[in-house]
Amino acid sequence: MGLYRNTEDMKMNDNFRTLIPPLDPDEYLRLEESILKEGCRDAIVLWEDTIIDGHTRFEICSKHNIPFNTVKREFSSENEVKIWIINNQFARRNLSAYDRAKLALQIEGLFQEKAREKQREAGGAVCQKSDKAVIDTKKELAKIANVSHDTIMKVKKIEELAPEDVKRRIKTGTISINEAYKEVRKEEIRGQRIQQINIGKDRKINVDFRLGDFEEVLSNIPDNSVDCIITDPPYAYEYIQCWTKLSRFAAKKLKPEGFCVAYSGQYSLPEVMGRMNEFLRYYWVFALYHEGLTQIVNGVNIICRWKPILVYQKGKKKLDKTIQDYISSDKREKGQHDWQQGESGVLKLIEQFTEEGDLIVDPFAGSGTTIKAAIKLKRNVIAAEIDEDTFNIAKAGL
Protein backbone atom coordinates (compact mmCIF):
# COMPACT_ATOMS: atom_id res chain seq x y z
CA MET A 1 0.00 0.00 0.00
CA GLY A 2 1.30 3.48 -0.86
CA LEU A 3 0.31 7.10 -0.18
CA TYR A 4 -0.33 9.17 -3.33
CA ARG A 5 -0.48 12.89 -3.86
CA ASN A 6 0.86 12.98 -7.42
CA THR A 7 -1.67 11.24 -9.67
CA GLU A 8 0.11 11.62 -13.02
CA ASP A 9 1.20 7.97 -13.17
CA MET A 10 -2.27 6.58 -12.47
CA LYS A 11 -4.32 5.52 -15.46
CA MET A 12 -8.04 5.35 -16.20
CA ASN A 13 -9.70 2.62 -18.27
CA ASP A 14 -13.23 3.47 -19.41
CA ASN A 15 -14.07 -0.26 -19.63
CA PHE A 16 -13.55 -0.43 -15.86
CA ARG A 17 -14.84 3.02 -14.95
CA THR A 18 -18.20 2.68 -16.74
CA LEU A 19 -18.82 -0.92 -15.64
CA ILE A 20 -20.42 0.29 -12.40
CA PRO A 21 -23.33 2.77 -12.48
CA PRO A 22 -22.20 6.18 -11.15
CA LEU A 23 -23.39 7.52 -7.80
CA ASP A 24 -26.46 9.69 -7.96
CA PRO A 25 -25.94 13.42 -7.04
CA ASP A 26 -26.97 12.94 -3.40
CA GLU A 27 -24.66 9.94 -2.95
CA TYR A 28 -21.80 11.86 -4.57
CA LEU A 29 -22.35 14.86 -2.29
CA ARG A 30 -22.40 12.70 0.85
CA LEU A 31 -19.17 10.96 -0.19
CA GLU A 32 -17.48 14.29 -0.94
CA GLU A 33 -18.50 15.73 2.44
CA SER A 34 -17.18 12.61 4.19
CA ILE A 35 -13.80 12.76 2.43
CA LEU A 36 -13.42 16.49 3.12
CA LYS A 37 -14.17 15.90 6.81
CA GLU A 38 -12.39 12.59 7.50
CA GLY A 39 -10.02 12.10 4.57
CA CYS A 40 -10.06 9.21 2.12
CA ARG A 41 -10.39 6.19 4.40
CA ASP A 42 -10.61 3.50 1.67
CA ALA A 43 -7.64 2.83 -0.58
CA ILE A 44 -7.80 3.29 -4.35
CA VAL A 45 -7.33 -0.18 -5.88
CA LEU A 46 -4.98 -0.55 -8.85
CA TRP A 47 -4.22 -3.23 -11.37
CA GLU A 48 -0.69 -2.38 -12.37
CA ASP A 49 -1.13 1.44 -12.67
CA THR A 50 -4.78 1.41 -13.70
CA ILE A 51 -7.59 2.27 -11.28
CA ILE A 52 -10.08 -0.57 -10.89
CA ASP A 53 -11.90 0.57 -7.75
CA GLY A 54 -12.37 4.04 -6.28
CA HIS A 55 -12.85 6.16 -9.41
CA THR A 56 -15.18 8.58 -7.62
CA ARG A 57 -12.91 8.81 -4.55
CA PHE A 58 -9.97 9.46 -6.87
CA GLU A 59 -11.91 12.24 -8.62
CA ILE A 60 -12.85 13.93 -5.33
CA CYS A 61 -9.33 13.62 -3.87
CA SER A 62 -7.77 15.01 -7.04
CA LYS A 63 -10.19 17.95 -7.06
CA HIS A 64 -9.42 18.89 -3.44
CA ASN A 65 -5.74 17.78 -3.38
CA ILE A 66 -6.46 15.23 -0.65
CA PRO A 67 -3.93 12.39 -0.16
CA PHE A 68 -5.11 8.80 -0.50
CA ASN A 69 -3.73 5.29 -0.14
CA THR A 70 -3.45 2.81 -2.97
CA VAL A 71 -3.28 -0.95 -3.03
CA LYS A 72 -2.37 -3.14 -6.00
CA ARG A 73 -4.02 -6.41 -6.99
CA GLU A 74 -2.83 -9.03 -9.44
CA PHE A 75 -5.01 -10.33 -12.27
CA SER A 76 -4.20 -12.29 -15.41
CA SER A 77 -6.59 -10.43 -17.73
CA GLU A 78 -9.07 -7.57 -18.08
CA ASN A 79 -11.90 -10.09 -17.88
CA GLU A 80 -10.74 -11.21 -14.42
CA VAL A 81 -10.61 -7.56 -13.39
CA LYS A 82 -14.19 -6.97 -14.54
CA ILE A 83 -15.50 -9.96 -12.58
CA TRP A 84 -13.67 -8.73 -9.47
CA ILE A 85 -15.12 -5.21 -9.88
CA ILE A 86 -18.67 -6.54 -10.02
CA ASN A 87 -18.18 -8.85 -7.04
CA ASN A 88 -16.60 -6.02 -5.07
CA GLN A 89 -19.62 -3.79 -5.65
CA PHE A 90 -21.98 -6.47 -4.35
CA ALA A 91 -19.94 -6.66 -1.15
CA ARG A 92 -19.90 -2.91 -0.59
CA ARG A 93 -23.17 -1.39 -1.77
CA ASN A 94 -26.72 -1.97 -0.55
CA LEU A 95 -28.30 -2.76 -3.90
CA SER A 96 -31.81 -3.89 -4.82
CA ALA A 97 -32.36 -7.24 -6.55
CA TYR A 98 -32.99 -5.32 -9.79
CA ASP A 99 -29.67 -3.44 -9.56
CA ARG A 100 -27.81 -6.61 -8.56
CA ALA A 101 -29.16 -8.48 -11.57
CA LYS A 102 -28.30 -5.55 -13.87
CA LEU A 103 -24.72 -5.53 -12.57
CA ALA A 104 -24.34 -9.28 -13.02
CA LEU A 105 -25.58 -9.02 -16.62
CA GLN A 106 -22.68 -6.66 -17.33
CA ILE A 107 -20.36 -9.69 -17.30
CA GLU A 108 -22.70 -12.17 -18.98
CA GLY A 109 -20.48 -12.26 -22.07
CA LEU A 110 -17.46 -13.25 -19.99
CA PHE A 111 -19.27 -16.26 -18.54
CA GLN A 112 -20.61 -17.26 -21.96
CA GLU A 113 -17.03 -17.37 -23.21
CA LYS A 114 -16.07 -19.46 -20.18
CA ALA A 115 -18.94 -21.81 -20.97
CA ARG A 116 -17.71 -22.21 -24.55
CA GLU A 117 -14.19 -22.94 -23.28
CA LYS A 118 -15.56 -25.56 -20.88
CA GLN A 119 -17.53 -27.14 -23.72
CA ARG A 120 -14.36 -27.36 -25.83
CA GLU A 121 -12.39 -28.81 -22.90
CA ALA A 122 -15.14 -31.38 -22.30
CA GLY A 123 -14.56 -32.64 -25.81
CA GLY A 124 -17.97 -31.72 -27.26
CA ALA A 125 -19.12 -35.33 -26.96
CA VAL A 126 -21.78 -36.25 -29.51
CA CYS A 127 -23.91 -38.21 -27.06
CA GLN A 128 -24.28 -35.43 -24.55
CA LYS A 129 -25.76 -32.09 -25.50
CA SER A 130 -24.26 -30.64 -22.33
CA ASP A 131 -21.89 -31.82 -19.64
CA LYS A 132 -21.76 -31.27 -15.89
CA ALA A 133 -18.45 -29.44 -16.41
CA VAL A 134 -20.08 -26.88 -18.69
CA ILE A 135 -20.93 -23.55 -17.06
CA ASP A 136 -24.59 -22.55 -16.89
CA THR A 137 -24.17 -18.83 -17.55
CA LYS A 138 -27.41 -17.61 -16.01
CA LYS A 139 -26.95 -19.81 -12.96
CA GLU A 140 -23.45 -18.40 -12.40
CA LEU A 141 -24.71 -14.84 -12.75
CA ALA A 142 -27.53 -15.57 -10.30
CA LYS A 143 -25.01 -16.91 -7.80
CA ILE A 144 -22.83 -13.80 -8.10
CA ALA A 145 -25.79 -11.43 -7.75
CA ASN A 146 -27.41 -13.49 -4.96
CA VAL A 147 -30.71 -13.53 -6.84
CA SER A 148 -32.64 -16.34 -8.49
CA HIS A 149 -31.96 -17.65 -12.00
CA ASP A 150 -35.50 -16.52 -12.84
CA THR A 151 -34.73 -12.94 -11.72
CA ILE A 152 -31.67 -12.77 -13.98
CA MET A 153 -33.75 -13.89 -16.96
CA LYS A 154 -36.56 -11.43 -16.22
CA VAL A 155 -34.26 -8.44 -15.63
CA LYS A 156 -32.44 -9.17 -18.88
CA LYS A 157 -35.73 -9.09 -20.75
CA ILE A 158 -36.77 -5.87 -18.96
CA GLU A 159 -33.49 -4.15 -19.79
CA GLU A 160 -33.79 -5.10 -23.45
CA LEU A 161 -37.46 -4.34 -24.08
CA ALA A 162 -39.02 -2.24 -21.31
CA PRO A 163 -39.47 1.52 -21.81
CA GLU A 164 -37.53 3.82 -19.48
CA ASP A 165 -40.69 4.63 -17.55
CA VAL A 166 -41.07 0.98 -16.51
CA LYS A 167 -37.42 0.81 -15.41
CA ARG A 168 -37.84 3.98 -13.32
CA ARG A 169 -40.95 2.51 -11.67
CA ILE A 170 -38.94 -0.58 -10.68
CA LYS A 171 -36.19 1.56 -9.14
CA THR A 172 -38.71 3.64 -7.16
CA GLY A 173 -40.50 0.51 -5.97
CA THR A 174 -43.86 1.32 -7.57
CA ILE A 175 -43.73 -1.87 -9.64
CA SER A 176 -42.01 -5.21 -8.98
CA ILE A 177 -39.66 -7.08 -11.29
CA ASN A 178 -42.38 -9.71 -11.87
CA GLU A 179 -45.01 -7.09 -12.72
CA ALA A 180 -42.65 -5.29 -15.12
CA TYR A 181 -41.70 -8.58 -16.77
CA LYS A 182 -45.36 -9.47 -17.33
CA GLU A 183 -45.94 -6.11 -19.03
CA VAL A 184 -42.95 -6.66 -21.30
CA ARG A 185 -43.96 -10.21 -22.20
CA LYS A 186 -47.53 -9.17 -23.02
CA GLU A 187 -46.22 -6.65 -25.52
CA GLU A 188 -43.71 -9.11 -26.96
CA ILE A 189 -46.26 -11.90 -27.41
CA ARG A 190 -48.73 -9.42 -28.90
CA GLY A 191 -46.09 -8.46 -31.47
CA GLN A 192 -45.41 -12.03 -32.57
CA ARG A 193 -47.02 -12.99 -35.85
CA ILE A 194 -47.31 -16.25 -37.73
CA GLN A 195 -45.26 -16.15 -40.90
CA GLN A 196 -46.81 -17.52 -44.07
CA ILE A 197 -44.36 -19.32 -46.37
CA ASN A 198 -45.32 -20.11 -49.97
CA ILE A 199 -44.46 -23.69 -50.91
CA GLY A 200 -46.50 -23.98 -54.07
CA LYS A 201 -49.05 -22.27 -56.29
CA ASP A 202 -51.91 -22.48 -53.83
CA ARG A 203 -50.41 -24.08 -50.71
CA LYS A 204 -48.97 -22.33 -47.65
CA ILE A 205 -47.63 -23.49 -44.31
CA ASN A 206 -47.51 -21.66 -41.00
CA VAL A 207 -44.22 -21.07 -39.20
CA ASP A 208 -44.35 -19.55 -35.73
CA PHE A 209 -41.05 -19.15 -33.82
CA ARG A 210 -41.17 -17.66 -30.32
CA LEU A 211 -38.53 -16.51 -27.83
CA GLY A 212 -38.95 -17.63 -24.23
CA ASP A 213 -39.65 -20.57 -21.94
CA PHE A 214 -41.90 -22.95 -23.86
CA GLU A 215 -44.38 -23.45 -21.01
CA GLU A 216 -45.10 -19.72 -21.12
CA VAL A 217 -44.81 -18.73 -24.77
CA LEU A 218 -46.54 -21.84 -26.15
CA SER A 219 -49.30 -21.88 -23.53
CA ASN A 220 -51.85 -20.43 -25.97
CA ILE A 221 -51.60 -23.39 -28.35
CA PRO A 222 -55.06 -25.03 -28.11
CA ASP A 223 -55.17 -28.29 -26.16
CA ASN A 224 -55.47 -31.48 -28.24
CA SER A 225 -54.36 -29.67 -31.42
CA VAL A 226 -50.76 -30.77 -32.06
CA ASP A 227 -50.04 -33.73 -34.34
CA CYS A 228 -46.50 -34.38 -33.15
CA ILE A 229 -43.82 -32.93 -30.87
CA ILE A 230 -40.27 -33.39 -32.14
CA THR A 231 -37.62 -31.84 -29.93
CA ASP A 232 -34.16 -31.97 -28.40
CA PRO A 233 -34.16 -30.94 -24.69
CA PRO A 234 -30.94 -30.15 -22.78
CA TYR A 235 -29.24 -33.24 -21.39
CA ALA A 236 -27.31 -32.01 -18.31
CA TYR A 237 -28.84 -33.17 -15.04
CA GLU A 238 -29.41 -29.60 -13.86
CA TYR A 239 -32.15 -29.43 -16.54
CA ILE A 240 -33.79 -32.73 -15.59
CA GLN A 241 -37.03 -30.95 -14.65
CA CYS A 242 -37.45 -30.03 -18.34
CA TRP A 243 -38.52 -33.63 -19.00
CA THR A 244 -41.40 -33.49 -16.55
CA LYS A 245 -42.47 -30.17 -18.07
CA LEU A 246 -42.23 -31.62 -21.58
CA SER A 247 -44.29 -34.67 -20.64
CA ARG A 248 -47.00 -32.53 -19.01
CA PHE A 249 -47.05 -30.08 -21.95
CA ALA A 250 -47.29 -32.90 -24.50
CA ALA A 251 -50.16 -34.56 -22.61
CA LYS A 252 -52.16 -31.32 -22.88
CA LYS A 253 -51.33 -30.15 -26.39
CA LEU A 254 -51.05 -33.37 -28.42
CA LYS A 255 -54.04 -34.78 -30.22
CA PRO A 256 -55.23 -38.15 -28.87
CA GLU A 257 -52.71 -40.84 -29.94
CA GLY A 258 -50.23 -38.06 -30.90
CA PHE A 259 -46.51 -38.72 -30.48
CA CYS A 260 -43.78 -36.90 -28.56
CA VAL A 261 -40.37 -37.71 -30.05
CA ALA A 262 -37.37 -36.43 -28.08
CA TYR A 263 -33.60 -36.81 -28.40
CA SER A 264 -31.93 -37.76 -25.12
CA GLY A 265 -28.48 -38.16 -23.62
CA GLN A 266 -27.34 -41.31 -21.83
CA TYR A 267 -26.24 -40.23 -18.34
CA SER A 268 -29.69 -39.72 -16.82
CA LEU A 269 -31.72 -41.88 -19.20
CA PRO A 270 -33.57 -43.94 -16.51
CA GLU A 271 -34.78 -40.79 -14.73
CA VAL A 272 -35.60 -39.08 -18.02
CA MET A 273 -37.83 -41.98 -18.99
CA GLY A 274 -39.42 -42.02 -15.55
CA ARG A 275 -40.34 -38.35 -15.90
CA MET A 276 -41.74 -38.86 -19.40
CA ASN A 277 -43.86 -41.71 -18.02
CA GLU A 278 -45.54 -39.28 -15.60
CA PHE A 279 -47.96 -38.00 -18.25
CA LEU A 280 -47.36 -40.05 -21.42
CA ARG A 281 -47.22 -43.69 -22.46
CA TYR A 282 -43.90 -45.23 -23.49
CA TYR A 283 -43.89 -46.40 -27.12
CA TRP A 284 -40.30 -47.19 -28.23
CA VAL A 285 -36.63 -46.12 -28.24
CA PHE A 286 -35.00 -45.37 -31.58
CA ALA A 287 -31.25 -45.36 -32.23
CA LEU A 288 -29.71 -42.38 -34.02
CA TYR A 289 -26.39 -43.53 -35.45
CA HIS A 290 -23.71 -40.91 -36.09
CA GLU A 291 -21.73 -41.32 -39.29
CA GLY A 292 -18.05 -40.39 -39.29
CA LEU A 293 -15.80 -39.64 -36.34
CA THR A 294 -17.17 -39.36 -32.83
CA GLN A 295 -15.55 -38.43 -29.53
CA ILE A 296 -15.13 -40.05 -26.17
CA VAL A 297 -17.72 -39.20 -23.50
CA ASN A 298 -15.85 -37.78 -20.53
CA GLY A 299 -16.52 -39.46 -17.22
CA VAL A 300 -17.47 -42.91 -18.52
CA ASN A 301 -14.65 -43.53 -21.00
CA ILE A 302 -17.02 -44.66 -23.75
CA ILE A 303 -16.92 -43.73 -27.41
CA CYS A 304 -20.53 -42.98 -28.23
CA ARG A 305 -21.75 -43.85 -31.71
CA TRP A 306 -25.50 -43.52 -31.19
CA LYS A 307 -28.07 -41.39 -29.41
CA PRO A 308 -31.41 -42.52 -27.93
CA ILE A 309 -34.55 -41.03 -29.43
CA LEU A 310 -37.44 -41.53 -27.02
CA VAL A 311 -40.89 -42.06 -28.49
CA TYR A 312 -43.88 -41.49 -26.20
CA GLN A 313 -47.57 -41.31 -26.99
CA LYS A 314 -50.69 -39.64 -25.65
CA GLY A 315 -52.96 -42.63 -25.36
CA LYS A 316 -52.42 -45.94 -27.11
CA LYS A 317 -52.59 -46.65 -30.81
CA LYS A 318 -50.07 -48.32 -33.08
CA LEU A 319 -48.59 -46.47 -36.03
CA ASP A 320 -50.51 -46.71 -39.29
CA LYS A 321 -47.33 -47.57 -41.18
CA THR A 322 -44.37 -49.84 -40.52
CA ILE A 323 -41.14 -47.95 -39.80
CA GLN A 324 -37.58 -48.77 -38.75
CA ASP A 325 -36.18 -47.83 -35.30
CA TYR A 326 -32.71 -47.06 -36.63
CA ILE A 327 -31.81 -43.66 -38.11
CA SER A 328 -28.47 -42.71 -39.60
CA SER A 329 -27.38 -39.07 -39.37
CA ASP A 330 -25.20 -38.22 -42.34
CA LYS A 331 -22.86 -35.84 -40.51
CA ARG A 332 -22.45 -33.66 -37.45
CA GLU A 333 -24.05 -30.37 -38.41
CA LYS A 334 -22.73 -27.85 -35.88
CA GLY A 335 -22.53 -24.75 -38.05
CA GLN A 336 -24.98 -22.67 -36.03
CA HIS A 337 -24.91 -24.24 -32.57
CA ASP A 338 -22.60 -26.57 -30.62
CA TRP A 339 -25.53 -28.90 -29.85
CA GLN A 340 -27.17 -28.75 -33.28
CA GLN A 341 -28.68 -32.01 -34.55
CA GLY A 342 -28.26 -33.24 -38.12
CA GLU A 343 -31.15 -32.24 -40.38
CA SER A 344 -31.18 -35.64 -42.12
CA GLY A 345 -32.21 -37.38 -38.90
CA VAL A 346 -34.98 -34.88 -38.18
CA LEU A 347 -36.30 -35.17 -41.73
CA LYS A 348 -36.59 -38.94 -41.26
CA LEU A 349 -38.49 -38.55 -37.98
CA ILE A 350 -40.91 -36.07 -39.54
CA GLU A 351 -41.57 -38.45 -42.43
CA GLN A 352 -42.16 -41.37 -40.05
CA PHE A 353 -44.45 -39.67 -37.53
CA THR A 354 -46.35 -36.99 -39.48
CA GLU A 355 -48.14 -36.29 -42.73
CA GLU A 356 -48.03 -33.28 -45.03
CA GLY A 357 -49.94 -30.37 -43.49
CA ASP A 358 -49.65 -31.69 -39.90
CA LEU A 359 -48.71 -29.38 -37.03
CA ILE A 360 -45.33 -30.06 -35.39
CA VAL A 361 -44.23 -28.33 -32.18
CA ASP A 362 -40.63 -28.03 -30.99
CA PRO A 363 -40.35 -26.61 -27.43
CA PHE A 364 -36.50 -26.64 -27.51
CA ALA A 365 -35.82 -25.33 -31.01
CA GLY A 366 -32.11 -24.53 -30.65
CA SER A 367 -30.72 -23.53 -34.02
CA GLY A 368 -34.01 -24.29 -35.80
CA THR A 369 -33.23 -27.65 -37.39
CA THR A 370 -36.73 -29.02 -36.80
CA ILE A 371 -38.28 -25.83 -38.20
CA LYS A 372 -36.23 -26.05 -41.40
CA ALA A 373 -36.99 -29.74 -41.83
CA ALA A 374 -40.70 -29.12 -41.29
CA ILE A 375 -40.72 -26.41 -43.95
CA LYS A 376 -38.99 -28.72 -46.43
CA LEU A 377 -41.58 -31.42 -45.84
CA LYS A 378 -44.56 -29.02 -45.92
CA ARG A 379 -45.54 -29.31 -42.26
CA ASN A 380 -46.82 -26.45 -40.12
CA VAL A 381 -44.55 -25.73 -37.18
CA ILE A 382 -44.59 -23.80 -33.90
CA ALA A 383 -41.33 -23.63 -31.96
CA ALA A 384 -39.77 -21.96 -28.94
CA GLU A 385 -36.20 -21.24 -27.83
CA ILE A 386 -35.35 -19.79 -24.43
CA ASP A 387 -31.78 -18.60 -25.13
CA GLU A 388 -31.89 -15.28 -26.92
CA ASP A 389 -28.53 -15.57 -28.70
CA THR A 390 -29.47 -18.99 -30.08
CA PHE A 391 -32.93 -17.72 -31.02
CA ASN A 392 -31.47 -14.81 -33.00
CA ILE A 393 -29.02 -17.08 -34.82
CA ALA A 394 -31.82 -19.49 -35.70
CA LYS A 395 -34.16 -16.69 -36.79
CA ALA A 396 -31.47 -15.25 -39.06
CA GLY A 397 -30.95 -18.70 -40.56
CA LEU A 398 -34.66 -18.97 -41.31
Side-chain angles (χ1 to χ4, degrees):
M1 182 176 288
L3 186 66
Y4 266 69
R5 281 184 179 275
N6 186 349
T7 60
E8 292 180 359
D9 295 332
M10 297 174 65
K11 301 173 184 176
M12 289 277 194
N13 183 324
D14 284 342
N15 289 330
F16 300 153
R17 184 174 59 83
T18 59
L19 192 61
I20 303 298
L23 300 179
D24 63 39
D26 288 340
E27 289 176 319
Y28 185 96
L29 183 60
R30 287 196 297 271
L31 178 61
E32 186 173 35
E33 289 174 350
S34 173
I35 291 175
L36 287 170
K37 181 180 178 180
E38 303 179 21
C40 187
R41 291 177 296 180
D42 296 323
I44 308 297
V45 184
L46 305 175
W47 176 46
E48 297 174 345
D49 293 319
T50 302
I51 298 173
I52 61 173
D53 180 64
H55 294 89
T56 306
R57 298 195 301 278
F58 173 76
E59 178 186 319
I60 293 170
C61 290
S62 300
K63 182 169 67 174
H64 297 289
N65 197 29
I66 296 172
F68 55 86
N69 288 315
T70 62
V71 61
K72 288 193 174 184
R73 289 187 172 270
E74 298 297 325
F75 299 96
S76 62
S77 67
E78 283 198 10
N79 287 346
E80 279 195 14
V81 174
K82 290 176 181 178
I83 293 172
W84 179 87
I85 290 172
I86 296 293
N87 279 319
N88 190 49
Q89 287 299 306
F90 289 145
R92 294 177 55 185
R93 296 176 70 175
N94 184 23
L95 301 171
S96 67
Y98 179 64
D99 287 330
R100 296 176 75 85
K102 279 176 58 180
L103 275 176
L105 287 167
Q106 295 276 357
I107 53 175
E108 181 181 27
L110 306 183
F111 279 94
Q112 288 173 341
E113 179 56 34
K114 279 190 174 184
R116 285 190 286 268
E117 289 175 4
K118 282 283 187 182
Q119 181 70 30
R120 289 192 289 268
E121 290 171 5
V126 172
C127 287
Q128 300 299 326
K129 180 185 285 193
S130 186
D131 189 280
K132 291 182 180 180
V134 176
I135 294 172
D136 184 321
T137 302
K138 291 184 176 62
K139 185 171 287 188
E140 288 297 315
L141 295 179
K143 190 185 302 181
I144 287 174
N146 194 27
V147 298
S148 70
H149 170 281
D150 191 52
T151 297
I152 290 289
M153 182 272 290
K154 288 177 179 177
V155 170
K156 182 176 182 180
K157 181 68 67 177
I158 290 167
E159 286 299 292
E160 291 170 348
L161 300 178
E164 290 303 317
D165 176 62
V166 171
K167 297 175 185 177
R168 282 195 296 270
R169 287 159 60 199
I170 298 174
K171 292 185 73 68
T172 58
T174 57
I175 187 173
S176 69
I177 292 173
N178 285 338
E179 289 168 335
Y181 176 74
K182 286 178 181 177
E183 285 189 17
V184 169
R185 288 296 296 130
K186 281 181 184 177
E187 290 302 316
E188 186 178 35
I189 292 172
R190 190 177 294 129
Q192 291 173 339
R193 293 183 300 174
I194 294 177
Q195 179 184 4
Q196 297 286 326
I197 298 180
N198 287 307
I199 59 173
K201 284 186 177 180
D202 53 7
R203 175 128 177 86
K204 294 183 177 181
I205 60 171
N206 294 322
V207 178
D208 186 355
F209 191 21
R210 307 176 186 182
L211 172 62
D213 183 274
F214 77 91
E215 282 194 302
E216 180 182 348
V217 300
L218 302 182
S219 62
N220 64 346
I221 295 176
D223 293 350
N224 304 304
S225 68
V226 176
D227 293 289
C228 187
I229 293 172
I230 299 177
T231 194
D232 189 16
Y235 305 157
Y237 189 79
E238 60 197 281
Y239 303 113
I240 194 69
Q241 188 63 28
C242 288
W243 293 93
T244 296
K245 294 178 179 180
L246 174 62
S247 177
R248 181 171 56 232
F249 173 83
K252 287 182 64 178
K253 304 302 180 183
L254 283 172
K255 293 178 179 178
E257 288 84 47
F259 286 95
C260 178
V261 182
Y263 292 80
S264 174
Q266 297 273 18
Y267 276 128
S268 305
L269 188 57
E271 184 168 349
V272 165
M273 296 182 72
R275 287 174 179 267
M276 289 296 285
N277 282 327
E278 290 182 42
F279 299 95
L280 298 173
R281 175 183 170 273
Y282 169 76
Y283 195 86
W284 206 254
V285 175
F286 283 35
L288 176 68
Y289 176 75
H290 298 285
E291 297 281 1
L293 296 175
T294 57
Q295 293 174 296
I296 192 168
V297 179
N298 292 324
V300 293
N301 209 28
I302 292 175
I303 295 176
C304 184
R305 300 301 301 268
W306 73 284
K307 181 192 296 292
I309 301 176
L310 307 181
V311 181
Y312 280 78
Q313 191 178 35
K314 177 179 177 177
K316 183 178 181 180
K317 181 184 177 183
K318 73 175 184 179
L319 284 162
D320 294 330
K321 53 191 173 184
T322 302
I323 61 176
Q324 181 174 279
D325 64 0
Y326 171 91
I327 296 174
S328 179
S329 182
D330 295 338
K331 59 180 180 178
R332 295 184 66 197
E333 299 166 15
K334 307 293 180 184
Q336 290 185 303
H337 194 276
D338 288 341
W339 303 335
Q340 181 178 348
Q341 296 298 341
E343 189 174 301
S344 57
V346 181
L347 286 167
K348 190 67 176 176
L349 291 171
I350 292 174
E351 288 176 335
Q352 290 177 328
F353 287 95
T354 68
E355 301 293 337
E356 186 174 319
D358 279 358
L359 172 60
I360 296 171
V361 169
D362 184 356
F364 303 93
S367 59
T369 304
T370 298
I371 302 173
K372 295 173 188 174
I375 293 170
K376 286 185 178 181
L377 295 177
K378 303 180 183 180
R379 272 64 164 175
N380 301 298
V381 60
I382 303 175
E385 170 55 41
I386 194 169
D387 182 81
E388 186 168 9
D389 291 338
T390 304
F391 173 83
N392 287 332
I393 292 171
K395 190 168 67 170
L398 293 169

